[in-house]
Amino acid sequence: MKIKRLFDIPHYALKNLPKNDMFATKYHGEWKKISTFEFINEANKISRGLIKLGIKPGDKIAIITTNSRTEWAIMDLGLSQIGVVSVPVYPNISSEDYEFIFNNAEIKYCFVSDKELLGKVMKVKHHISSLQGIFTFDKIAGAAHWREILDLGEDESTQIEVEDISNTINPEDLATLIYTSGTTGKPKGVMLSHENIVSNVLGSLPRIPKKKSLDYKDTRVLSFLPICHIFERMLFYLFQYNGFSVYFAESIDKMGENVKEVKPHYMSVVPRLVEKVYDKIYFTGSSAGGLKSKIFFWALNLITKKTTVSKPSGLQEIIADKLVFSKWREGLGGEIITLVSGSAALSTRLNLMFQNAGIPILEGYGLTETSPVISVNSFEKMKVGTVGPPLDNVSVKIQEDGEITVKGPSIFKGYFQNEELTKEAFTEDGYFKTGDIGHIDTDGFLQITDRKKEMFKTSGGKYIAPQIIENMVKASKFIEQIMVVGDGEKMPCALVQPDFEFAKSWAMRNNLTIGSTPEEIAQSPELKARIEKEIEGFNQNLGNWERIKKIELTPEVWSVDSGLLTPTLKLKRKAIKENFMDLYNKMYDHQQ
């Protein structure tokens, strides 16, 4: 069976790799599993029900869930096989962005997971003329439940209509419209066809390792990144193709518990999560006290010295692995084959550390517009500090200014209702401009050095690549987030969000009173001086023009909810600067 459209994948899985637990979601403390057959059966009901509602190919339906769940998967298949364009939306964007997206896409129906999201959509419903109805996955008094659509489609005699429509859908037809959150401005609707995503799934398959001793029926994935993001979504299809079971995590907060229950073989991660996992490991090890802490730091020192990835060799490394690193692996369920990292640059230091602790990480690179993978490391071809070789079905060209451009079947169809922006996104010879700066080394590995738009020039004419500096400095336990600034200014400075919990434990150990709230802690001269000392250490590795000359501590946590981070935890640079303009002005002695 040749796979050309997204809905071909589950049918391929049913024929070749059927599972009793294709998907699983935890409801009220219990994992509820659905087989491959049941999954397709439920999706067919959704298709039939929507046809009865008058939905036609090309219509657009929004899906919004606080956490990924089986209902999302059923809806996705139910929509795609009748030519409906799915519009997955991030749950934590503003009501104003909901209004813009729904109007821009002309959404006909919307499916939301819970009461909070229902409230957000209801708030702007009257400003969206195309919206005919809202359905919920949770049972909510007074709201239409998605079960109504399933009931509408219960009659199997109309299945012939679903199959007739499916047969008319071409690979180049629009499958989904994904609005990128962006770090500035209004969201852009990225048009992805069936061919775009399917070609990326097939192109990425050889890079994902499998254990020969492990049967597909026993292979489990824990999915916790937002499935509305193309990174997690492409892997969602790839895992279906491989016949792996996908368990949807309850939430980031319950990750530790879910990992122990599921014992996953695969997980996708973003660098911020790897950093948080390491911070937790470090805190546990350093606060154990006595001999346990000494053993932890001894083992950590052993792998920190390693500059390449290798298995434990020699007595010391074998003992360290047995006493310390086996517990790291146990903390991730004990059966991890690999973590797949994307969305932002992963610290080389952390990557090496995890690899040498027996937790392989495959770092890759891509954008929503590229469906998303452009390149990714594999077990056969891996170089830490790079994002791997480009996929075989993707052509990468480095422009004269260092910008990475790309061409291939996974490159998007364009920005929805924005021909001008679409035209600007491509070179004259048809390569998509990623906006990232990088190079391909002599071994064929792609290395990203910075975001083209984020690079800035000081008043002295020197270019600064902030991401490189930020990733390096975030190795400090004191620093949760940092943003290097200085566009048009005489020198680089930085806004720093301290790790408030670590700062409190540091103050306690040193008998210092720095307060307990973020506002109080950020005012501490002792903490500021300590962080300045940390940064001074990192400055030694930078050119004089790149060195951070001044810092200010911000009195709040940078988060998605506060509007300072994107849903994939990237810095919203413009918003952060505006939010802390008083601190920015203070660093540069600007009159306020």
Side-chain angles (χ1 to χ4, degrees):
M1 176 184 178
K2 197 157 185 187
I3 292 168
K4 295 183 176 181
R5 300 148 315 172
L6 290 175
F7 54 85
D8 292 333
I9 297 173
H11 291 283
Y12 167 87
L14 179 64
K15 185 179 177 184
N16 299 284
L17 307 159
K19 304 273 306 224
N20 290 324
D21 60 342
M22 187 178 194
F23 297 111
T25 302
K26 205 173 186 185
Y27 303 98
H28 311 297
E30 186 184 347
W31 287 102
K32 297 279 187 186
K33 300 170 185 177
I34 186 170
S35 69
T36 314
F37 176 78
E38 290 167 325
F39 168 59
I40 291 173
N41 194 39
E42 292 290 280
N44 284 336
K45 290 180 190 176
I46 289 293
S47 299
R48 297 192 296 260
L50 290 172
I51 290 170
K52 282 189 180 175
L53 274 184
I55 287 294
K56 295 180 174 58
D59 284 345
K60 298 176 188 73
I61 288 179
I63 317 174
I64 319 171
T65 57
T66 298
N67 298 300
S68 299
R69 51 201 284 173
T70 303
E71 292 94 331
W72 197 103
I74 292 167
M75 285 301 308
D76 181 59
L77 175 55
L79 298 179
S80 70
Q81 66 184 2
I82 55 168
V84 175
V85 178
S86 64
V87 184
V89 184
Y90 282 107
N92 37 22
I93 60 174
S94 66
S95 292
E96 291 72 28
D97 277 345
Y98 275 8
E99 185 179 332
F100 172 81
I101 291 169
F102 278 45
N103 279 320
N104 188 249
E106 298 180 340
I107 298 294
K108 288 261 177 98
Y109 287 97
C110 173
F111 289 76
V112 299
S113 59
D114 51 64
K115 195 173 183 178
E116 188 181 337
L117 291 178
L118 176 64
K120 264 191 174 181
V121 177
M122 290 300 289
K123 190 177 172 184
V124 295
K125 182 188 171 191
H126 302 299
H127 302 294
I128 305 158
S129 57
S130 61
L131 190 60
Q132 295 174 19
I134 305 165
F135 296 89
T136 64
F137 295 145
D138 288 351
K139 287 188 176 175
I140 301 166
H145 192 244
W146 83 305
R147 179 58 57 187
E148 293 178 28
I149 305 294
L150 290 163
D151 291 344
L152 257 183
E154 198 67 51
D155 181 5
E156 290 184 18
S157 65
T158 58
Q159 182 62 20
I160 189 74
E161 288 183 62
V162 174
E163 288 162 16
D164 285 346
I165 294 171
S166 292
N167 290 333
T168 67
I169 297 169
N170 297 309
E172 61 271 17
D173 288 346
L174 185 61
T176 189
L177 190 53
I178 300 176
Y179 283 82
T180 58
S181 53
T183 51
T184 57
K186 286 285 181 194
K188 296 176 293 188
V190 175
M191 296 190 288
L192 295 178
S193 68
H194 288 269
E195 182 189 27
N196 289 154
I197 303 173
V198 167
S199 68
N200 206 243
V201 169
L202 299 178
S204 299
L205 277 172
R207 306 292 172 96
I208 302 295
K210 294 181 193 173
K211 238 182 190 173
K212 288 177 183 173
S213 60
L214 192 65
D215 187 81
Y216 82 90
K217 287 183 178 175
D218 301 316
T219 309
R220 297 174 301 280
V221 176
L222 186 62
S223 169
F224 61 91
L225 294 180
I227 205 167
C228 52
H229 189 270
I230 188 61
F231 172 45
E232 188 73 2
R233 188 169 172 190
M234 188 282 289
L235 287 170
F236 159 83
Y237 297 123
L238 185 147
F239 295 140
Q240 285 182 52
Y241 180 92
N242 279 322
F244 299 166
S245 303
V246 177
Y247 285 68
F248 295 114
E250 293 175 88
S251 65
I252 292 283
D253 296 337
K254 293 199 174 179
M255 270 291 295
E257 182 185 320
N258 293 163
V259 159
K260 286 171 187 168
E261 294 168 331
V262 176
K263 297 187 184 301
H265 300 101
Y266 300 90
M267 285 197 298
S268 48
V269 294
V270 292
R272 193 73 200 103
L273 190 86
V274 179
E275 290 164 12
K276 282 184 176 292
V277 168
Y278 176 69
D279 288 346
K280 190 173 180 183
I281 288 169
Y282 187 91
F283 178 78
T284 305
S286 60
S287 59
L291 186 60
K292 284 185 178 177
S293 284
K294 282 182 180 174
I295 292 170
F296 172 78
F297 284 117
W298 166 76
L300 198 59
N301 188 48
L302 278 179
I303 59 165
T304 305
K305 286 178 180 174
K306 294 177 81 166
T307 54
T308 56
V309 179
S310 63
K311 289 184 177 176
S313 62
L315 188 60
Q316 283 194 332
E317 286 187 10
I318 290 167
I319 292 169
D321 189 71
K322 183 105 177 140
L323 294 179
V324 177
F325 305 124
S326 62
K327 291 182 174 61
W328 291 25
R329 298 192 291 273
E330 204 54 47
L332 288 171
E335 296 186 29
I336 282 288
I337 293 172
T338 188
L339 303 177
V340 184
S341 178
S343 179
L346 177 64
S347 152
T348 300
R349 178 189 67 92
L350 269 187
N351 195 338
L352 270 174
M353 205 178 286
F354 271 77
Q355 302 265 15
N356 284 312
I359 303 167
I361 300 179
L362 297 180
E363 185 177 8
Y365 161 69
L367 297 86
T368 305
E369 289 89 340
T370 57
S371 303
V373 180
I374 292 171
S375 64
V376 65
N377 281 285
S378 67
F379 281 9
E380 287 73 32
K381 286 187 176 181
M382 182 189 290
K383 192 181 280 189
V384 174
T386 76
V387 290
L391 297 184
D392 294 340
N393 61 359
V394 165
S395 170
V396 171
K397 185 177 180 181
I398 308 295
Q399 300 296 325
E400 281 185 23
D401 63 355
E403 183 172 7
I404 299 160
T405 58
V406 59
K407 188 188 273 191
S410 55
I411 310 307
F412 76 134
K413 293 167 72 71
Y415 294 111
F416 187 61
Q417 294 186 347
N418 201 328
E419 285 183 27
E420 189 181 337
L421 201 60
T422 301
K423 192 178 177 185
E424 285 173 14
F426 290 87
T427 61
E428 285 185 12
D429 56 350
Y431 278 79
F432 170 65
K433 297 187 277 192
T434 64
D436 289 307
I437 302 291
H439 64 270
I440 295 177
D441 69 17
T442 51
D443 297 318
F445 288 81
L446 181 61
Q447 190 161 20
I448 315 296
T449 52
D450 218 282
R451 283 291 293 166
K452 189 175 177 180
K453 289 178 183 174
E454 288 171 4
M455 289 179 73
F456 61 80
K457 199 192 283 189
T458 61
S459 57
K462 295 286 190 181
Y463 278 101
I464 305 290
Q467 249 188 34
I468 295 173
I469 302 169
E470 290 158 0
N471 284 340
M472 181 176 69
V473 174
K474 276 200 293 185
S476 167
K477 296 285 171 297
F478 287 89
I479 297 170
E480 175 81 8
Q481 296 284 6
I482 179 168
M483 185 176 93
V484 177
V485 294
D487 186 15
E489 305 286 359
K490 59 189 176 187
M491 61 193 178
C493 294
L495 294 165
V496 175
Q497 185 232 297
D499 183 322
F500 293 113
E501 291 307 312
F502 184 81
K504 280 192 274 190
S505 62
W506 166 80
M508 198 179 296
R509 288 195 305 273
N510 290 278
N511 297 315
L512 295 171
T513 304
I514 64 170
S516 57
T517 67
E519 293 83 0
E520 291 167 343
I521 294 168
Q523 293 298 317
S524 164
E526 295 93 345
L527 179 62
K528 187 179 179 186
R530 184 66 183 80
I531 291 176
E532 284 172 337
K533 188 178 175 185
E534 290 273 303
I535 286 175
E536 192 47 47
F538 292 111
N539 274 342
Q540 303 313 306
N541 301 313
L542 298 170
N544 189 50
W545 73 96
E546 297 174 297
R547 292 177 180 175
I548 297 166
K549 304 297 193 292
K550 289 184 183 179
I551 66 164
E552 286 295 334
L553 308 185
T554 65
E556 64 180 270
V557 173
W558 304 3
S559 67
V560 176
D561 292 338
S562 67
L564 302 180
L565 301 180
T566 71
T568 50
L569 308 181
K570 294 174 189 169
L571 303 182
K572 282 194 166 185
R573 295 180 184 271
K574 187 180 175 187
I576 291 166
K577 185 179 173 182
E578 286 173 357
N579 200 54
F580 303 115
M581 187 55 82
D582 56 333
L583 298 176
Y584 179 90
N585 288 331
K586 189 177 174 184
M587 289 188 293
Y588 290 108
D589 301 320
H590 290 173
Q591 294 298 313
Q592 296 180 41

